[in-house]
Amino acid sequence: MRIRISHETTYSYEQPVRSLMQALRVMPRDHEGQVVVSWRIEASIDGRLRSTEDTHGNLVHMFQAEGPFDSITMKVDGIVETHDTTGFVRGTKDRLPPQVYLRQTQITQPDEGLILYARKTARAGQTHLEQLHALLDGLHGDMAFMTDVRDSPVRAAEAFALRKGTATDLAHIFCASARELGVPSRLVEGFDASRTRQGGMAARHAWAEAHVEGYGWIGFDPALGRCPADSHVRISVGLDHSDAAPVRLSRVGGGQEKAHVALAVMAVDQ
C-alpha cells in the first residue's frame, strides 16, 4: 500500500518569540514493513534544520530559528510504501538491547489493579506469545477506545481504572502489562490509514511492540484489536509517549501559545 501523509502545524504566540528550537520525530525509517518513497519538512520562517537520531534509533530533525516572529508553520509531506508483515518487525535500527524495554516509567507504572488484570488475562502456563495475544484481545474487549486526541496521555493505571483511553493510553497499558509479565515492550507512534475519515482527515495513532524470544519484535495494536498491518506507518518508538513524541519544543519569549494542526493520511495509487 502507498500512503501519503500531509501534516501542517501552525503555532501562534501572544508575544514575539526571540528564539526557538524544535525536536521533530515526524519522519519514518525504512524497514521490512515500509519504505520511504519521498519525504519533505519545511518551515515558514528561516532557520537551521539538521537530522540526527536519538537513543531509540528514531530519526530526529532539530529545527532552530532566531526571532522575532509571532507565528511559525511546520509542514511535513511524504509517501511511504508499506507491506503487511503479519505483525513482525524486522530490519529496524535498534540501538538499545530489548531488556531496556522492561523498565516501567512514571506513565506506565502499573498499580495493583492493572497487575492483577495482566496476570489474570495472560494465564500462567501460556507461552509469552500466547500471553501477549491474550492481552491484546482482553484490552480490546474490556477498554473503550477514545478516538479524540489529548494534549498529553494519562497514566496507564488511571486510564485502565476508567476502562477507556486513546490509542496511546491503550498502548501504554499494554506495555505496562507486558513488562509486568517479563516481556520487553515499547510504545510506537505513527499513523493508521484505516482510521482515515472521508476527505483524508486523520489523527495520529499509537500501538505497542513486544520482544518475544525466538521471534524478535512483534507489533500489537490494542485500540484496533489486531497486529499492525500495511495500513500502519511506523514513525518512532520509546519507553512511553515522552520518548516518542512527535514534537518537543523549547523557546525564549512568546508568552502563551496556540497550535492548529491539520493532518491528512490516505492511500494513493501505486
Side-chain angles (χ1 to χ4, degrees):
M1 180 184 293
R2 280 201 170 195
I3 299 173
R4 180 170 185 175
I5 299 166
S6 297
H7 190 189
E8 180 175 310
T9 305
T10 299
Y11 301 92
S12 302
Y13 304 97
E14 65 174 356
Q15 301 171 8
V17 175
R18 297 195 294 276
S19 65
L20 172 143
M21 178 174 286
Q22 288 184 331
L24 306 170
R25 292 177 182 84
V26 294
M27 182 174 179
R29 301 196 83 144
D30 293 352
H31 60 80
E32 287 189 16
Q34 66 186 31
V35 176
V36 179
V37 178
S38 64
W39 205 263
R40 186 176 73 252
I41 302 173
E42 295 180 343
S44 62
I45 62 174
D46 291 335
R48 181 188 178 197
L49 184 69
R50 61 183 179 88
S51 178
T52 183
E53 65 177 46
D54 63 17
T55 56
H56 299 283
N58 302 314
L59 280 176
V60 182
H61 287 82
M62 303 298 297
F63 178 76
Q64 186 172 4
E66 299 299 322
F69 56 86
D70 55 15
S71 69
I72 179 176
T73 298
M74 301 298 297
K75 295 182 179 180
V76 177
D77 188 80
I79 295 176
V80 180
E81 187 169 313
T82 61
H83 305 276
D84 190 353
T85 61
T86 62
F88 291 97
V89 185
R90 300 187 178 100
T92 56
K93 189 167 185 179
D94 295 316
R95 301 185 62 182
L96 299 173
Q99 290 73 22
V100 169
Y101 298 96
L102 284 169
R103 192 181 72 194
Q104 300 286 14
T105 69
Q106 283 189 330
I107 294 177
T108 66
Q109 185 64 47
D111 61 6
E112 183 178 354
L114 182 50
I115 291 172
L116 290 174
Y117 178 86
R119 293 175 178 174
K120 178 181 177 181
T121 304
R123 296 185 299 276
Q126 292 180 321
T127 66
H128 277 161
L129 186 58
E130 290 171 334
Q131 290 179 324
L132 293 169
H133 278 288
L135 279 175
L136 177 70
D137 295 340
L139 290 174
H140 181 66
D142 297 335
M143 299 286 296
F145 173 31
M146 299 166 54
T147 57
D148 58 326
V149 178
R150 295 195 188 100
D151 291 335
S152 59
V154 301
R155 292 178 59 249
E158 181 181 343
F160 176 74
L162 295 172
R163 294 298 192 273
K164 63 181 180 180
T166 65
T168 301
D169 295 331
L170 270 61
H172 281 148
I173 295 171
F174 186 97
C175 289
S177 302
R179 292 168 188 168
E180 177 63 27
L181 299 170
V183 182
S185 187
R186 60 193 181 191
L187 179 105
V188 184
E189 287 279 350
F191 303 99
D192 175 37
S194 72
R195 290 185 56 206
T196 300
R197 299 187 293 272
Q198 186 176 5
M201 296 307 296
R204 292 185 67 92
H205 194 53
W207 57 97
E209 290 174 357
H211 192 274
V212 183
E213 187 173 353
Y215 294 94
W217 288 102
I218 303 174
F220 297 88
D221 188 339
L224 301 183
R226 57 181 172 84
C227 291
D230 57 355
S231 61
H232 288 65
V233 177
R234 182 181 186 272
I235 301 290
S236 57
V237 301
L239 285 166
D240 59 27
H241 174 76
S242 63
D243 285 338
V247 180
R248 299 292 291 271
L249 181 148
S250 63
R251 57 184 166 87
V252 178
Q256 290 189 343
E257 172 189 277
K258 292 182 179 179
H260 178 265
V261 179
L263 171 64
V265 180
M266 65 188 75
V268 297
D269 294 336
Q270 296 292 327

